[in-house]
Amino acid sequence: MGLGVLDDTKLQHIPGTATLEDFDQITAGAPRDGNIKYSKDGTTILVPQPSDDPRDPLNWPLWRRDLITGILCLLSVIASTLSPLLAANTLTLTLYFERSFTDIALLTGYHLLGVGVAGFIFVASARVWGKRHLYILGTVIIMISSAWGGGSNHNYGSLLAARFFQGVGLAPFEALVNASVGDLYFVHERGKRMALSNLSLFGGAFFTPVIVGKLTSTLGWQWSFYLLAIFSAAMLPLVILFVPETTFVREQWLNTDTATTYDSEYYKSGNEMHGSGTSSLDKRPDTGPAEPLSTQPGHKFLSRESLMPFNGRKTDEPFFKLLLRPFPLFFHPGIFWACLIQGTLIGWTVLIGIVLAAIMLGPPLFFNEVQTGYMYTGAFIGALLGFLMAGLLSDSAAKFMTKRNGGIYEPEFRLVLVIPQLIFGCAGLYGFGITSNNTYRYGWFWPDFFFALEVMGMVLGAVSSALYIVDAHRDIAVEGFTCLLVFKNIFSFGLTFSGYNWLVKSGIRPVFIAISSVQVAICCLTVLMYVFGKKNRSFFARHDLLKMFKLR
Protein backbone atom coordinates (compact mmCIF):
# COMPACT_ATOMS: atom_id res chain seq x y z
CA MET A 1 0.00 0.00 0.00
CA GLY A 2 1.70 3.19 -1.21
CA LEU A 3 0.99 6.22 1.02
CA GLY A 4 -2.47 4.88 1.82
CA VAL A 5 -3.44 3.92 -1.76
CA LEU A 6 -4.38 0.23 -1.73
CA ASP A 7 -2.49 -1.87 -4.29
CA ASP A 8 -4.21 -4.09 -6.81
CA THR A 9 -3.06 -7.59 -7.76
CA LYS A 10 -5.37 -8.22 -10.72
CA LEU A 11 -3.26 -6.32 -13.26
CA GLN A 12 0.48 -5.80 -13.52
CA HIS A 13 -0.18 -2.25 -14.69
CA ILE A 14 -3.22 -0.17 -13.80
CA PRO A 15 -4.17 2.77 -16.07
CA GLY A 16 -2.97 6.02 -14.54
CA THR A 17 -0.12 4.54 -12.50
CA ALA A 18 3.20 5.60 -13.99
CA THR A 19 6.57 3.97 -13.26
CA LEU A 20 9.59 2.84 -15.28
CA GLU A 21 8.91 -0.78 -14.28
CA ASP A 22 5.30 -0.61 -15.43
CA PHE A 23 6.39 1.16 -18.60
CA ASP A 24 8.63 -1.78 -19.47
CA GLN A 25 5.84 -4.26 -18.74
CA ILE A 26 3.34 -2.43 -20.90
CA THR A 27 5.65 -1.96 -23.85
CA ALA A 28 7.38 -5.34 -23.61
CA GLY A 29 5.69 -6.57 -26.77
CA ALA A 30 5.54 -3.25 -28.57
CA PRO A 31 7.41 -2.75 -31.85
CA ARG A 32 10.44 -0.83 -30.59
CA ASP A 33 14.02 -1.33 -29.51
CA GLY A 34 13.58 -0.46 -25.82
CA ASN A 35 14.22 3.27 -26.06
CA ILE A 36 12.34 5.45 -23.60
CA LYS A 37 11.98 9.20 -23.98
CA TYR A 38 12.83 11.53 -21.13
CA SER A 39 12.30 15.20 -20.39
CA LYS A 40 14.99 17.66 -21.52
CA ASP A 41 16.80 17.46 -18.19
CA GLY A 42 16.85 13.67 -18.52
CA THR A 43 15.34 13.08 -15.06
CA THR A 44 11.66 12.49 -15.87
CA ILE A 45 10.17 9.74 -18.04
CA LEU A 46 7.68 11.35 -20.40
CA VAL A 47 4.14 10.17 -19.70
CA PRO A 48 2.56 9.60 -22.16
CA GLN A 49 5.40 8.82 -24.55
CA PRO A 50 5.35 11.05 -27.66
CA SER A 51 5.29 9.48 -31.10
CA ASP A 52 7.71 10.42 -33.89
CA ASP A 53 4.98 12.18 -35.86
CA PRO A 54 5.52 15.98 -36.03
CA ARG A 55 1.71 16.37 -35.88
CA ASP A 56 1.72 14.93 -32.36
CA PRO A 57 1.07 17.90 -30.01
CA LEU A 58 3.48 16.42 -27.47
CA ASN A 59 6.28 17.04 -30.00
CA TRP A 60 5.47 20.73 -30.44
CA PRO A 61 7.73 23.22 -28.64
CA LEU A 62 6.48 24.28 -25.23
CA TRP A 63 5.99 27.91 -26.31
CA ARG A 64 3.55 26.82 -29.01
CA ARG A 65 1.60 24.58 -26.65
CA ASP A 66 1.46 27.41 -24.12
CA LEU A 67 0.30 29.82 -26.85
CA ILE A 68 -2.59 27.48 -27.69
CA THR A 69 -3.45 27.13 -24.02
CA GLY A 70 -3.26 30.90 -23.55
CA ILE A 71 -5.68 31.58 -26.41
CA LEU A 72 -8.09 28.92 -25.14
CA CYS A 73 -7.87 30.41 -21.65
CA LEU A 74 -8.63 33.90 -22.98
CA LEU A 75 -11.63 32.52 -24.82
CA SER A 76 -12.65 30.66 -21.68
CA VAL A 77 -12.58 33.94 -19.75
CA ILE A 78 -14.90 35.52 -22.33
CA ALA A 79 -17.15 32.44 -22.42
CA SER A 80 -17.26 32.13 -18.63
CA THR A 81 -18.61 35.68 -18.29
CA LEU A 82 -21.83 34.49 -19.92
CA SER A 83 -23.14 32.57 -16.90
CA PRO A 84 -23.02 35.41 -14.32
CA LEU A 85 -23.67 38.11 -16.90
CA LEU A 86 -26.97 39.13 -15.28
CA ALA A 87 -25.98 38.60 -11.63
CA ALA A 88 -25.71 42.32 -10.83
CA ASN A 89 -28.71 43.27 -12.99
CA THR A 90 -31.45 41.39 -11.15
CA LEU A 91 -33.36 44.47 -9.99
CA THR A 92 -32.84 46.32 -13.29
CA LEU A 93 -34.21 43.43 -15.35
CA THR A 94 -37.05 42.76 -12.91
CA LEU A 95 -38.27 46.32 -13.45
CA TYR A 96 -37.40 46.38 -17.17
CA PHE A 97 -39.38 43.24 -18.02
CA GLU A 98 -41.86 43.54 -15.12
CA ARG A 99 -41.12 39.96 -14.11
CA SER A 100 -40.51 38.13 -10.83
CA PHE A 101 -37.09 37.38 -9.31
CA THR A 102 -37.51 33.73 -10.29
CA ASP A 103 -38.16 34.64 -13.94
CA ILE A 104 -34.98 36.71 -14.00
CA ALA A 105 -33.05 33.88 -12.33
CA LEU A 106 -34.30 31.57 -15.10
CA LEU A 107 -32.47 33.70 -17.65
CA THR A 108 -29.38 32.18 -16.06
CA GLY A 109 -31.05 28.80 -15.53
CA TYR A 110 -31.91 28.25 -19.19
CA HIS A 111 -28.44 29.41 -20.13
CA LEU A 112 -27.02 26.63 -17.93
CA LEU A 113 -29.49 24.19 -19.46
CA GLY A 114 -28.14 25.12 -22.91
CA VAL A 115 -24.62 24.28 -21.73
CA GLY A 116 -25.73 20.88 -20.45
CA VAL A 117 -27.74 19.92 -23.53
CA ALA A 118 -25.09 21.04 -26.03
CA GLY A 119 -22.34 19.31 -24.08
CA PHE A 120 -23.51 15.83 -25.08
CA ILE A 121 -23.63 16.69 -28.78
CA PHE A 122 -20.34 18.57 -28.87
CA VAL A 123 -18.37 15.94 -26.99
CA ALA A 124 -19.50 13.22 -29.41
CA SER A 125 -18.46 15.51 -32.26
CA ALA A 126 -15.08 16.07 -30.59
CA ARG A 127 -14.53 12.33 -30.38
CA VAL A 128 -15.21 11.88 -34.10
CA TRP A 129 -13.72 15.01 -35.67
CA GLY A 130 -11.58 16.58 -32.95
CA LYS A 131 -11.94 19.77 -30.90
CA ARG A 132 -10.81 22.56 -33.24
CA HIS A 133 -14.09 22.93 -35.18
CA LEU A 134 -16.00 23.18 -31.90
CA TYR A 135 -13.82 25.98 -30.57
CA ILE A 136 -14.45 27.90 -33.79
CA LEU A 137 -18.18 27.11 -33.73
CA GLY A 138 -18.49 28.05 -30.05
CA THR A 139 -16.82 31.42 -30.65
CA VAL A 140 -19.17 32.16 -33.57
CA ILE A 141 -22.26 31.17 -31.55
CA ILE A 142 -21.21 33.36 -28.63
CA MET A 143 -20.71 36.28 -31.01
CA ILE A 144 -24.14 35.89 -32.68
CA SER A 145 -26.15 35.06 -29.55
CA SER A 146 -24.60 37.97 -27.62
CA ALA A 147 -25.58 40.43 -30.35
CA TRP A 148 -29.05 38.83 -30.35
CA GLY A 149 -29.40 39.19 -26.57
CA GLY A 150 -28.42 42.84 -26.64
CA GLY A 151 -31.02 43.52 -29.31
CA SER A 152 -33.87 41.76 -27.52
CA ASN A 153 -35.21 45.00 -26.02
CA HIS A 154 -38.42 44.29 -24.04
CA ASN A 155 -38.96 40.81 -25.51
CA TYR A 156 -38.32 38.48 -22.55
CA GLY A 157 -38.79 35.35 -24.66
CA SER A 158 -36.19 36.53 -27.17
CA LEU A 159 -33.66 37.21 -24.41
CA LEU A 160 -34.41 33.80 -22.88
CA ALA A 161 -33.69 32.11 -26.22
CA ALA A 162 -30.51 34.14 -26.70
CA ARG A 163 -29.35 33.10 -23.23
CA PHE A 164 -29.97 29.43 -24.09
CA PHE A 165 -27.80 29.74 -27.21
CA GLN A 166 -25.13 31.58 -25.25
CA GLY A 167 -25.02 28.41 -23.17
CA VAL A 168 -24.61 26.38 -26.36
CA GLY A 169 -21.64 28.57 -27.31
CA LEU A 170 -20.09 28.17 -23.86
CA ALA A 171 -20.37 24.36 -23.92
CA PRO A 172 -17.22 23.58 -26.01
CA PHE A 173 -15.03 25.57 -23.64
CA GLU A 174 -16.48 24.09 -20.44
CA ALA A 175 -16.34 20.56 -21.84
CA LEU A 176 -13.12 20.49 -23.84
CA VAL A 177 -10.49 22.99 -22.67
CA ASN A 178 -9.34 20.81 -19.77
CA ALA A 179 -9.23 17.83 -22.12
CA SER A 180 -7.07 19.86 -24.51
CA VAL A 181 -4.62 20.47 -21.65
CA GLY A 182 -4.42 16.69 -21.37
CA ASP A 183 -3.73 16.49 -25.11
CA LEU A 184 -0.98 19.11 -25.07
CA TYR A 185 1.10 18.27 -22.01
CA PHE A 186 2.88 15.43 -20.28
CA VAL A 187 1.70 14.45 -16.80
CA HIS A 188 4.45 16.42 -15.05
CA GLU A 189 3.51 19.58 -17.00
CA ARG A 190 -0.25 19.55 -16.49
CA GLY A 191 -0.79 20.82 -12.95
CA LYS A 192 -0.16 24.56 -13.37
CA ARG A 193 -1.81 24.63 -16.81
CA MET A 194 -4.88 22.86 -15.47
CA ALA A 195 -5.05 25.36 -12.63
CA LEU A 196 -4.83 28.21 -15.17
CA SER A 197 -7.56 26.74 -17.38
CA ASN A 198 -9.85 26.30 -14.38
CA LEU A 199 -9.11 29.83 -13.21
CA SER A 200 -10.09 31.05 -16.68
CA LEU A 201 -13.31 29.04 -16.64
CA PHE A 202 -14.30 30.03 -13.10
CA GLY A 203 -12.26 33.03 -12.00
CA GLY A 204 -13.27 35.22 -14.93
CA ALA A 205 -16.90 34.55 -14.10
CA PHE A 206 -16.60 36.24 -10.72
CA PHE A 207 -15.06 39.43 -12.04
CA THR A 208 -17.91 39.85 -14.55
CA PRO A 209 -20.54 41.25 -12.14
CA VAL A 210 -18.00 43.79 -10.84
CA ILE A 211 -17.75 45.26 -14.34
CA VAL A 212 -21.35 44.65 -15.46
CA GLY A 213 -22.89 46.52 -12.52
CA LYS A 214 -21.00 49.71 -13.40
CA LEU A 215 -21.45 49.12 -17.13
CA THR A 216 -25.23 48.80 -16.76
CA SER A 217 -25.55 52.00 -14.77
CA THR A 218 -23.47 53.86 -17.38
CA LEU A 219 -24.44 52.38 -20.76
CA GLY A 220 -27.40 50.09 -20.08
CA TRP A 221 -27.58 46.31 -19.62
CA GLN A 222 -27.64 45.72 -23.40
CA TRP A 223 -24.01 46.76 -23.73
CA SER A 224 -22.83 43.87 -21.58
CA PHE A 225 -24.07 41.67 -24.45
CA TYR A 226 -22.74 43.87 -27.24
CA LEU A 227 -19.23 44.00 -25.74
CA LEU A 228 -19.15 40.22 -25.50
CA ALA A 229 -20.05 40.01 -29.18
CA ILE A 230 -17.20 42.42 -30.00
CA PHE A 231 -14.60 40.60 -27.87
CA SER A 232 -15.53 37.16 -29.21
CA ALA A 233 -15.34 38.52 -32.77
CA ALA A 234 -11.84 39.84 -32.00
CA MET A 235 -10.77 36.41 -30.70
CA LEU A 236 -12.09 34.50 -33.71
CA PRO A 237 -9.03 35.12 -35.95
CA LEU A 238 -6.70 33.97 -33.16
CA VAL A 239 -8.62 30.70 -32.83
CA ILE A 240 -8.59 30.11 -36.58
CA LEU A 241 -4.88 30.90 -37.01
CA PHE A 242 -3.20 29.67 -33.84
CA VAL A 243 -5.33 26.90 -32.31
CA PRO A 244 -4.79 23.77 -34.42
CA GLU A 245 -6.31 20.40 -33.69
CA THR A 246 -4.97 19.04 -30.39
CA THR A 247 -6.51 15.57 -30.69
CA PHE A 248 -3.95 13.07 -31.93
CA VAL A 249 -4.35 9.31 -32.20
CA ARG A 250 -1.07 7.64 -31.31
CA GLU A 251 -0.26 3.97 -30.92
CA GLN A 252 -1.75 2.53 -27.76
CA TRP A 253 1.55 1.42 -26.26
CA LEU A 254 2.73 5.04 -26.20
CA ASN A 255 -0.16 5.99 -23.92
CA THR A 256 1.56 4.67 -20.83
CA ASP A 257 -0.86 6.51 -18.55
CA THR A 258 -3.91 4.73 -19.96
CA ALA A 259 -2.54 1.35 -21.06
CA THR A 260 -3.14 -1.91 -19.20
CA THR A 261 -1.38 -5.24 -19.17
CA TYR A 262 -3.84 -6.37 -21.79
CA ASP A 263 -2.23 -3.98 -24.27
CA SER A 264 1.09 -5.73 -23.76
CA GLU A 265 -0.54 -9.07 -24.54
CA TYR A 266 -2.08 -7.53 -27.63
CA TYR A 267 1.29 -6.48 -28.99
CA LYS A 268 2.94 -9.77 -28.09
CA SER A 269 0.33 -11.69 -30.06
CA GLY A 270 -0.03 -9.19 -32.88
CA ASN A 271 3.45 -8.18 -34.02
CA GLU A 272 2.58 -9.24 -37.53
CA MET A 273 0.47 -6.08 -37.76
CA HIS A 274 3.69 -4.06 -37.65
CA GLY A 275 5.57 -5.76 -40.41
CA SER A 276 9.11 -6.38 -39.26
CA GLY A 277 8.25 -5.44 -35.69
CA THR A 278 10.19 -2.19 -35.80
CA SER A 279 8.98 1.35 -35.63
CA SER A 280 10.21 4.88 -36.08
CA LEU A 281 11.45 4.79 -32.50
CA ASP A 282 14.22 2.50 -33.68
CA LYS A 283 15.73 5.50 -35.43
CA ARG A 284 16.67 7.00 -32.06
CA PRO A 285 20.15 5.94 -31.04
CA ASP A 286 19.81 6.87 -27.38
CA THR A 287 17.26 7.37 -24.62
CA GLY A 288 18.15 10.92 -23.77
CA PRO A 289 16.27 14.08 -24.64
CA ALA A 290 16.05 14.86 -28.32
CA GLU A 291 15.43 17.91 -30.45
CA PRO A 292 11.69 18.62 -30.61
CA LEU A 293 10.24 17.10 -33.75
CA SER A 294 8.38 20.30 -34.41
CA THR A 295 11.68 21.93 -35.35
CA GLN A 296 12.55 19.26 -37.89
CA PRO A 297 11.97 19.79 -41.61
CA GLY A 298 8.41 19.27 -42.78
CA HIS A 299 6.74 20.80 -39.74
CA LYS A 300 5.03 24.14 -40.28
CA PHE A 301 3.59 26.43 -37.66
CA LEU A 302 0.91 27.61 -40.08
CA SER A 303 -0.13 25.22 -42.80
CA ARG A 304 -3.19 24.39 -44.83
CA GLU A 305 -3.76 21.34 -42.63
CA SER A 306 -3.55 23.31 -39.38
CA LEU A 307 -5.99 25.97 -40.67
CA MET A 308 -8.69 23.51 -41.71
CA PRO A 309 -11.56 23.10 -39.22
CA PHE A 310 -11.45 19.33 -39.82
CA ASN A 311 -8.48 17.10 -40.60
CA GLY A 312 -10.04 13.66 -40.67
CA ARG A 313 -11.90 11.35 -38.33
CA LYS A 314 -10.31 10.46 -35.01
CA THR A 315 -12.30 7.26 -34.58
CA ASP A 316 -14.33 4.84 -36.67
CA GLU A 317 -17.04 4.55 -34.03
CA PRO A 318 -20.50 5.85 -35.03
CA PHE A 319 -21.46 9.35 -33.92
CA PHE A 320 -24.71 8.30 -32.26
CA LYS A 321 -22.96 5.62 -30.24
CA LEU A 322 -20.50 8.24 -29.00
CA LEU A 323 -23.43 10.54 -28.22
CA LEU A 324 -24.63 8.08 -25.59
CA ARG A 325 -21.23 7.27 -24.09
CA PRO A 326 -21.28 9.76 -21.17
CA PHE A 327 -24.50 8.31 -19.69
CA PRO A 328 -23.06 5.03 -18.30
CA LEU A 329 -20.11 6.90 -16.79
CA PHE A 330 -22.36 8.36 -14.10
CA PHE A 331 -22.14 4.84 -12.62
CA HIS A 332 -18.33 5.06 -12.60
CA PRO A 333 -17.26 5.91 -9.00
CA GLY A 334 -14.29 8.02 -10.13
CA ILE A 335 -16.37 10.11 -12.53
CA PHE A 336 -19.32 10.43 -10.14
CA TRP A 337 -16.97 11.51 -7.34
CA ALA A 338 -15.57 14.24 -9.62
CA CYS A 339 -19.13 15.37 -10.46
CA LEU A 340 -19.94 15.72 -6.76
CA ILE A 341 -16.67 17.41 -5.78
CA GLN A 342 -16.87 19.99 -8.56
CA GLY A 343 -20.57 20.22 -9.39
CA THR A 344 -22.14 20.67 -5.98
CA LEU A 345 -19.87 23.52 -4.89
CA ILE A 346 -20.47 25.26 -8.22
CA GLY A 347 -24.20 24.85 -7.62
CA TRP A 348 -23.93 26.37 -4.15
CA THR A 349 -22.02 29.27 -5.73
CA VAL A 350 -24.97 29.85 -8.08
CA LEU A 351 -27.26 29.76 -5.05
CA ILE A 352 -25.10 32.40 -3.33
CA GLY A 353 -25.48 34.56 -6.44
CA ILE A 354 -29.27 34.34 -6.10
CA VAL A 355 -29.13 35.23 -2.39
CA LEU A 356 -26.58 37.99 -2.83
CA ALA A 357 -28.80 40.06 -5.11
CA ALA A 358 -31.83 39.69 -2.85
CA ILE A 359 -29.91 40.46 0.38
CA MET A 360 -27.85 43.39 -0.82
CA LEU A 361 -30.63 45.14 -2.72
CA GLY A 362 -32.97 45.04 0.26
CA PRO A 363 -32.80 46.33 3.85
CA PRO A 364 -30.68 47.16 5.77
CA LEU A 365 -27.98 47.67 3.10
CA PHE A 366 -30.08 48.92 0.14
CA PHE A 367 -27.21 48.42 -2.32
CA ASN A 368 -27.69 49.53 -5.90
CA GLU A 369 -26.64 47.28 -8.79
CA VAL A 370 -23.15 48.82 -8.93
CA GLN A 371 -22.50 48.09 -5.26
CA THR A 372 -23.99 44.60 -5.63
CA GLY A 373 -21.62 43.98 -8.53
CA TYR A 374 -18.68 45.07 -6.38
CA MET A 375 -19.60 42.32 -3.91
CA TYR A 376 -18.17 39.83 -6.41
CA THR A 377 -14.70 41.32 -5.86
CA GLY A 378 -14.27 38.97 -2.92
CA ALA A 379 -15.23 35.99 -5.07
CA PHE A 380 -12.71 37.04 -7.72
CA ILE A 381 -9.95 37.35 -5.12
CA GLY A 382 -10.93 33.94 -3.79
CA ALA A 383 -10.65 32.47 -7.29
CA LEU A 384 -7.16 33.99 -7.68
CA LEU A 385 -6.03 32.62 -4.33
CA GLY A 386 -7.47 29.22 -5.21
CA PHE A 387 -5.60 29.28 -8.49
CA LEU A 388 -2.32 30.21 -6.78
CA MET A 389 -2.70 27.49 -4.16
CA ALA A 390 -3.67 24.89 -6.77
CA GLY A 391 -0.73 25.91 -8.96
CA LEU A 392 1.69 25.64 -6.05
CA LEU A 393 0.37 22.37 -4.67
CA SER A 394 -0.85 20.35 -7.66
CA ASP A 395 2.47 19.37 -9.27
CA SER A 396 4.76 19.86 -6.27
CA ALA A 397 2.61 17.72 -3.97
CA ALA A 398 2.32 14.99 -6.62
CA LYS A 399 6.10 14.99 -7.19
CA PHE A 400 6.81 14.90 -3.44
CA MET A 401 4.40 12.03 -2.87
CA THR A 402 5.79 10.17 -5.89
CA LYS A 403 9.31 10.36 -4.42
CA ARG A 404 8.00 9.20 -1.05
CA ASN A 405 6.26 6.35 -2.85
CA GLY A 406 9.47 5.00 -4.37
CA GLY A 407 9.08 6.78 -7.70
CA ILE A 408 5.59 5.38 -8.35
CA TYR A 409 3.05 8.03 -9.36
CA GLU A 410 -0.61 7.44 -8.52
CA PRO A 411 -3.36 9.81 -9.79
CA GLU A 412 -4.85 9.67 -6.28
CA PHE A 413 -2.02 12.00 -5.23
CA ARG A 414 -4.01 14.76 -6.97
CA LEU A 415 -6.78 14.36 -4.41
CA VAL A 416 -4.84 16.11 -1.64
CA LEU A 417 -6.20 19.38 -3.05
CA VAL A 418 -9.58 18.40 -1.59
CA ILE A 419 -8.14 19.03 1.91
CA PRO A 420 -7.90 22.82 1.39
CA GLN A 421 -11.22 22.64 -0.49
CA LEU A 422 -12.81 21.16 2.62
CA ILE A 423 -11.23 23.76 4.87
CA PHE A 424 -11.88 26.88 2.81
CA GLY A 425 -14.96 25.89 0.79
CA CYS A 426 -17.01 24.52 3.67
CA ALA A 427 -15.92 27.29 6.05
CA GLY A 428 -17.05 29.74 3.38
CA LEU A 429 -20.48 28.12 3.08
CA TYR A 430 -21.06 27.98 6.84
CA GLY A 431 -19.79 31.53 7.30
CA PHE A 432 -21.82 32.98 4.44
CA GLY A 433 -25.03 31.41 5.71
CA ILE A 434 -24.51 32.77 9.23
CA THR A 435 -23.39 36.30 8.30
CA SER A 436 -25.71 36.94 5.35
CA ASN A 437 -28.66 35.94 7.53
CA ASN A 438 -27.95 38.91 9.80
CA THR A 439 -26.52 41.82 7.81
CA TYR A 440 -27.74 44.20 10.52
CA ARG A 441 -24.98 42.74 12.69
CA TYR A 442 -22.31 41.68 10.20
CA GLY A 443 -22.75 44.24 7.39
CA TRP A 444 -21.50 43.51 3.88
CA PHE A 445 -17.86 42.62 4.56
CA TRP A 446 -18.19 39.26 6.28
CA PRO A 447 -20.61 37.74 3.74
CA ASP A 448 -18.21 38.87 1.02
CA PHE A 449 -15.22 37.44 2.92
CA PHE A 450 -16.85 34.03 3.29
CA PHE A 451 -17.98 34.14 -0.34
CA ALA A 452 -14.29 34.49 -1.24
CA LEU A 453 -13.42 31.41 0.85
CA GLU A 454 -16.21 29.41 -0.78
CA VAL A 455 -15.00 30.28 -4.27
CA MET A 456 -11.41 29.51 -3.27
CA GLY A 457 -12.54 26.03 -2.26
CA MET A 458 -14.53 25.67 -5.46
CA VAL A 459 -11.48 26.35 -7.64
CA LEU A 460 -9.35 23.89 -5.66
CA GLY A 461 -12.00 21.20 -6.05
CA ALA A 462 -12.38 21.91 -9.76
CA VAL A 463 -8.62 21.59 -10.34
CA SER A 464 -8.38 18.41 -8.26
CA SER A 465 -11.27 16.68 -10.05
CA ALA A 466 -10.09 17.78 -13.49
CA LEU A 467 -6.54 16.56 -12.89
CA TYR A 468 -7.79 13.27 -11.52
CA ILE A 469 -9.97 12.59 -14.56
CA VAL A 470 -7.14 13.44 -16.96
CA ASP A 471 -4.50 11.44 -15.09
CA ALA A 472 -6.58 8.44 -13.96
CA HIS A 473 -9.03 8.09 -16.85
CA ARG A 474 -7.52 9.94 -19.80
CA ASP A 475 -9.02 7.48 -22.29
CA ILE A 476 -12.50 8.63 -21.22
CA ALA A 477 -11.51 12.16 -20.16
CA VAL A 478 -13.69 13.87 -22.78
CA GLU A 479 -16.76 11.89 -21.72
CA GLY A 480 -15.79 12.45 -18.07
CA PHE A 481 -15.72 16.21 -18.51
CA THR A 482 -19.10 15.95 -20.25
CA CYS A 483 -20.50 14.26 -17.16
CA LEU A 484 -19.10 17.10 -15.04
CA LEU A 485 -20.55 19.70 -17.39
CA VAL A 486 -24.00 18.11 -17.47
CA PHE A 487 -24.15 17.44 -13.74
CA LYS A 488 -23.10 20.89 -12.60
CA ASN A 489 -25.28 22.74 -15.11
CA ILE A 490 -28.42 20.66 -14.56
CA PHE A 491 -27.88 20.89 -10.79
CA SER A 492 -27.38 24.67 -11.03
CA PHE A 493 -30.44 24.97 -13.29
CA GLY A 494 -32.52 23.27 -10.60
CA LEU A 495 -31.23 25.71 -7.99
CA THR A 496 -32.08 28.75 -10.15
CA PHE A 497 -35.55 27.28 -10.71
CA SER A 498 -36.38 26.73 -7.04
CA GLY A 499 -33.54 28.21 -4.99
CA TYR A 500 -35.06 31.65 -4.34
CA ASN A 501 -38.39 30.23 -3.15
CA TRP A 502 -36.53 27.65 -1.03
CA LEU A 503 -34.58 30.39 0.72
CA VAL A 504 -37.66 32.55 1.26
CA LYS A 505 -39.56 29.60 2.74
CA SER A 506 -36.85 28.07 4.94
CA GLY A 507 -34.57 31.01 5.68
CA ILE A 508 -30.97 31.67 4.64
CA ARG A 509 -29.19 30.29 7.71
CA PRO A 510 -30.96 26.88 7.91
CA VAL A 511 -30.52 26.30 4.18
CA PHE A 512 -26.81 27.10 4.19
CA ILE A 513 -26.13 25.11 7.35
CA ALA A 514 -27.75 22.12 5.61
CA ILE A 515 -25.87 22.47 2.31
CA SER A 516 -22.58 23.13 4.14
CA SER A 517 -22.98 19.85 6.01
CA VAL A 518 -23.77 18.07 2.74
CA GLN A 519 -20.58 19.51 1.23
CA VAL A 520 -18.51 18.31 4.19
CA ALA A 521 -19.87 14.79 3.65
CA ILE A 522 -19.07 14.98 -0.08
CA CYS A 523 -15.49 16.07 0.61
CA CYS A 524 -15.09 13.19 3.07
CA LEU A 525 -15.94 10.75 0.27
CA THR A 526 -12.51 11.64 -1.10
CA VAL A 527 -10.94 9.47 1.62
CA LEU A 528 -12.62 6.42 0.08
CA MET A 529 -11.62 7.48 -3.44
CA TYR A 530 -8.01 7.98 -2.32
CA VAL A 531 -7.75 4.61 -0.58
CA PHE A 532 -9.67 2.53 -3.11
CA GLY A 533 -9.00 4.61 -6.25
CA LYS A 534 -6.35 2.26 -7.64
CA LYS A 535 -8.56 -0.78 -7.14
CA ASN A 536 -11.38 1.14 -8.80
CA ARG A 537 -9.18 1.93 -11.81
CA SER A 538 -8.17 -1.71 -12.09
CA PHE A 539 -11.75 -2.93 -11.80
CA PHE A 540 -13.04 -0.69 -14.58
CA ALA A 541 -10.03 -1.47 -16.76
CA ARG A 542 -11.14 -5.12 -16.54
CA HIS A 543 -14.88 -4.39 -16.61
CA ASP A 544 -15.27 -1.64 -19.19
CA LEU A 545 -18.60 0.14 -18.64
CA LEU A 546 -18.71 1.35 -22.22
CA LYS A 547 -18.20 -2.18 -23.55
CA MET A 548 -20.90 -3.49 -21.22
CA PHE A 549 -23.35 -1.00 -22.75
CA LYS A 550 -21.99 -1.80 -26.24
CA LEU A 551 -20.76 1.78 -26.64
CA ARG A 552 -17.11 0.95 -27.32
Side-chain angles (χ1 to χ4, degrees), residues 78 117 133 137 150 458 510 515 525 537:
I78 294 172
V117 171
H133 71 284
L137 179 63
M458 187 200 76
I515 66 174
L525 291 175
R537 287 184 280 124

Side-chain angles (χ1 to χ4, degrees), residues 185-517:
Y185 298 100
F186 302 103
V187 167
H188 70 283
E189 296 175 329
R190 289 176 189 160
K192 294 181 178 63
R193 277 89 177 182
M194 194 72 76
L196 179 62
S197 65
N198 277 279
L199 175 70
S200 302
L201 286 167
F202 300 118
F206 296 110
F207 195 62
T208 302
V210 178
I211 300 172
V212 168
K214 182 64 176 176
L215 182 67
T216 298
S217 68
T218 306
L219 299 175
W221 65 267
Q222 293 90 343
W223 269 96
S224 59
F225 286 83
Y226 291 145
L227 287 173
L228 275 174
I230 293 169
F231 291 144
S232 55
M235 290 298 297
L236 184 60
L238 297 180
V239 182
I240 294 173
L241 292 174
F242 303 119
V243 181
E245 183 56 61
T246 63
T247 304
F248 181 80
V249 182
R250 62 180 64 85
E251 291 185 77
Q252 182 59 32
W253 69 271
L254 292 168
N255 293 317
T256 52
D257 53 341
T258 62
T260 69
T261 329
Y262 299 133
D263 299 312
S264 177
E265 296 301 319
Y266 167 79
Y267 283 107
K268 287 176 181 177
S269 63
N271 267 346
E272 64 272 12
M273 296 175 62
H274 301 280
S276 63
T278 61
S279 78
S280 56
L281 272 178
D282 295 327
K283 299 172 185 177
R284 293 209 176 244
D286 56 63
T287 61
E291 178 187 13
L293 290 170
S294 52
T295 64
Q296 296 176 5
H299 180 87
K300 295 180 180 179
F301 179 59
L302 290 176
S303 64
R304 181 177 179 181
E305 182 183 12
S306 69
L307 293 175
M308 295 295 289
F310 303 94
N311 58 11
R313 290 179 67 96
K314 308 302 177 183
T315 178
D316 293 326
E317 295 184 87
F319 175 81
F320 289 103
K321 180 184 286 189
L322 294 169
L323 195 65
L324 300 174
R325 281 178 67 162
F327 287 102
L329 295 182
F330 284 108
F331 297 102
H332 191 300
I335 302 298
F336 188 63
W337 166 85
C339 289
L340 291 175
I341 282 292
Q342 183 178 124
T344 52
L345 206 49
I346 290 174
W348 309 141
T349 305
V350 171
L351 187 63
I352 288 177
I354 296 171
V355 180
L356 201 63
I359 293 173
M360 299 303 159
L361 292 170
L365 298 175
F366 293 106
F367 276 16
N368 58 34
E369 58 197 4
V370 177
Q371 293 169 311
T372 303
Y374 288 160
M375 286 294 293
Y376 282 82
T377 304
F380 179 68
I381 293 172
L384 287 177
L385 292 175
F387 159 70
L388 291 173
M389 181 172 288
L392 290 172
L393 292 179
S394 56
D395 284 336
S396 59
K399 289 178 181 178
F400 173 77
M401 295 176 76
T402 299
K403 289 180 180 178
R404 291 292 302 271
N405 198 36
I408 301 173
Y409 168 76
E410 304 288 1
E412 285 70 32
F413 296 162
R414 300 292 195 182
L415 304 190
V416 296
L417 287 177
V418 177
I419 297 173
Q421 180 196 26
L422 171 65
I423 295 170
F424 295 111
C426 295
L429 284 172
Y430 279 117
F432 183 86
I434 294 169
T435 57
S436 63
N437 188 63
N438 190 356
T439 51
Y440 286 95
R441 177 180 178 182
Y442 296 105
W444 63 267
F445 174 79
W446 288 110
D448 201 31
F449 172 80
F450 285 113
F451 189 15
L453 293 184
E454 189 271 345
V455 171
M456 186 176 177
M458 187 200 76
V459 171
L460 288 162
V463 173
S464 178
S465 58
L467 282 170
Y468 187 70
I469 286 180
V470 169
D471 288 359
H473 307 291
R474 193 168 62 85
D475 60 323
I476 53 170
V478 174
E479 288 84 359
F481 285 122
T482 306
C483 292
L484 263 66
L485 179 147
V486 171
F487 179 89
K488 68 186 179 185
N489 284 290
I490 298 299
F491 181 62
S492 299
F493 170 70
L495 289 173
T496 61
F497 195 82
S498 57
Y500 182 76
N501 293 331
W502 181 26
L503 290 161
V504 170
K505 181 180 178 180
S506 303
I508 296 172
R509 178 170 176 153
V511 167
F512 273 89
I513 293 296
I515 66 174
S516 302
S517 302

